[in-house]
Amino acid sequence: MPEKPESAIIQWLNAHYPMVRDREQLAQVPQLLMQRRCEFCTATDLTPAFVAAVCYHGYLPMGEQVADLPLLLIKSHHQRCVLEFANLHLSRKLKRYARGLTLTMNQNFDECLGAIANHHSPTWLIAPLCNALIQLHQHPHSQVALHSIEIYNDDARLVAGAV
């Protein structure tokens, strides 16, 4: 019987990236990445519960479509950005521009996520991951709740956002 294309893809991926098969393995992600000297682990579980577990462990969930197989990429950052507000400088030009903006939180999660996905298309925000993120926003799971921050201009048009 010929091998399924999906299992061939998983075998190839597992040869190059550590495959996380269940939530219990998430605690081992840093060690798996160090052993293989790579940035990502992969998983085939894109359910809201698994994505929540990935977030709970402090990893960034990203998606990738390989042939017809949607994958979850589990990114463990060695270094993260930190914004130090005490040292933040805002130019006059930016302050003038900001006068016409409105900052909101969780006013339109779906629109914000969709705009980010469109802006980065076709990259890491694949449809199954977006669906899981929307579900986690609507129904937090395992102490993980997702939020959106939106910035609207004077015309009430979304001009920036983060999820």
Side-chain angles (χ1 to χ4, degrees), residues 9 15 26 31 45 47 63 76 100 121 158:
I9 292 169
L26 288 172
Q31 293 84 7
D45 188 348
T47 61
S76 178
S121 183
L158 181 67

Side-chain angles (χ1 to χ4, degrees), residues 85-102 151-152 154:
F85 288 101
N87 298 326
L88 186 64
H89 170 73
L90 300 175
S91 68
R92 286 186 194 139
K93 184 177 180 180
L94 180 60
K95 287 178 185 178
R96 278 193 304 273
Y97 177 73
R99 285 188 194 126
L101 301 177
T102 303
I151 299 177
Y152 295 91
D154 284 336

Side-chain angles (χ1 to χ4, degrees), residues 1 4 15 29 36-37 70 85 96-97 102 142 144-145 158-159:
M1 182 151 137
K4 285 182 174 180
V29 165
R36 298 260 190 113
R37 295 189 176 145
F85 288 101
R96 278 193 304 273
Y97 177 73
T102 303
S142 302
V144 173
L158 181 67
V159 293

Side-chain angles (χ1 to χ4, degrees), residues 116-136:
I116 294 167
N118 287 338
H119 180 74
H120 291 282
S121 183
T123 57
W124 64 278
L125 277 170
I126 61 174
L129 179 57
C130 286
N131 293 337
L133 297 176
I134 289 167
Q135 289 296 313
L136 287 171

